[in-house]
């Protein structure tokens, strides 16, 4: 056997002991290469691969501790077993502190060879375990790096998808606005405006996901505030006050809540103040209550009549109920004086 797992480098200026160690370990299936001083041993360690290195302390030239430091500076160093005399415990301790794997005291007879073989076996096994652990840690790091790279690529892809979806929805909204301006029937224009607001509710989510570092959630307060601002720009008489708590929800839940809010605010703009051409105040609140989210739309208008419309048989009411069901939400209506519609929903 000549592979690294069986090769031992024995560095000692006692040539008779070197030959004894060679013969003894050869019977155990190990090839022992010897060197008679630290410099020669260092050259051999640099040129070949060894399972372990046995190193005497007192030698011509560099002593054992100096050679040990040089051996540890090599790439992928083999474990070192320090060999000392019986009265050199202090040196052995210094060697262990300097990085030696183990030490064996030179004693007459077979006991030294037996202890040396056991020290070599232990050092080789521990070195193999360290290499396996290092390989496993490297594999984990590589897998983690690949996962992070895939996650980053996926995030970029999702951002690009959201960007294109937002652009497409914006085009549809613009075409709807053009069609709205081309019809004379007030009811048809109102229907087209409602469609445009619904499209805007979805487009806003994709626009925010495109510019967000986290495509897994939407800052609900920012999203709903932007949606209300867009509705306000399209309705000159809109007087909308918004108060929002910093809540985070998944994108699909944000879309449902955006559509619900669009329907409720559009309904209030159309019906809450029939006798006031300039409209009246509409208050929108987003809050956290009992561990869940609450979206509330209030006005000071005609009360019950306005409150009943979202829950009635109209398309807007059906959309509100359908969107609320998709997120497991509960819609509550209250009227007189004014109207108050509350949507309770889970955050995840």
């Amino acid at each position: 056997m000549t592979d690294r797992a069986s090769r031992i480098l024995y560095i000692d200026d006692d040539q008779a002991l070197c030959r004894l160690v060679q013969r003894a370990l050869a019977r155990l299936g190990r090839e022992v290469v010897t060197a008679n001083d630290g410099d020669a041993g260092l050259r051999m360690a640099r040129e070949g691969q060894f399972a372990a290195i046995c190193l005497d302390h007192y030698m011509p030239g560099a002593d054992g501790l100096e050679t040990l430091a040089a051996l540890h500076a090599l790439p992928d160093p083999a474990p070192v077993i320090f060999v000392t005399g019986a009265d050199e415990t202090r040196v052995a301790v210094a060697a262990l502190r300097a990085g030696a794997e183990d030490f064996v005291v030179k004693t007459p007879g077979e006991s030294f060879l037996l202890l040396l073989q056991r020290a070599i076996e232990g050092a080789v096994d521990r070195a193999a375990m360290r290499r396996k652990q290092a390989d496993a840690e490297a594999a984990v790091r590589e897998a983690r790096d690949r996962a992070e790279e895939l996650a980053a690529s996926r995030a970029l892809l999702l951002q690009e998808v959201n960007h294109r979806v937002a652009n497409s929805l914006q085009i549809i909204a613009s075409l709807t606005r053009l069609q709205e301006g081309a019809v004379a029937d007030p009811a048809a224009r109102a229907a087209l405006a409602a469609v445009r607001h619904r499209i805007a509710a979805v487009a806003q989510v994709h626009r925010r996901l495109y510019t967000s570092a986290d495509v897994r959630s939407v800052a609900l307060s920012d999203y709903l505030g932007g949606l209300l601002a867009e509705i306000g720009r399209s309705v000159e008489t809109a007087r909308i006050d918004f108060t929002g708590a910093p809540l985070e929800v998944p994108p699909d839940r944000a879309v449902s809540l955006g559509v619900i809010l669009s329907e409720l605010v559009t309904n209030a703009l159309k019906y809450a103040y029939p006798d006031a051409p300039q409209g009246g105040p509409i208050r929108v609140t987003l809050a956290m209550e009992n561990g869940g989210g609450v979206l509330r739309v209030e006005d000071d208008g005609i009360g019950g009549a306005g409150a009943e419309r979202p829950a009635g048989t109209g398309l807007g009411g059906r959309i509100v109920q359908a969107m609320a069901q998709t997120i497991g939400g509960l819609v509550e209506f209250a009227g007189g004086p004014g109207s108050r519609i509350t949507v309770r929903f889970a955050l995840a």
Side-chain angles (χ1 to χ4, degrees), residues 126 163 236 238 332:
R126 289 191 294 273
H163 178 51
E236 295 181 356
E332 302 170 354

Side-chain angles (χ1 to χ4, degrees), residues 140-153:
V140 169
R141 287 194 298 270
E142 183 180 353
R144 183 186 60 207
D145 292 343
R146 285 200 304 268
E148 291 176 352
E149 183 179 349
L150 288 173
S153 298

Side-chain angles (χ1 to χ4, degrees), residues 3 95 208 282:
D3 60 291
R208 291 187 177 276
I282 298 172

Side-chain angles (χ1 to χ4, degrees), residues 176-177 179-197:
T176 305
R177 181 184 287 275
Q179 186 65 45
E180 183 183 339
V183 298
D185 183 7
R189 294 184 65 179
L192 288 170
V195 170
R196 180 163 48 80
H197 292 154

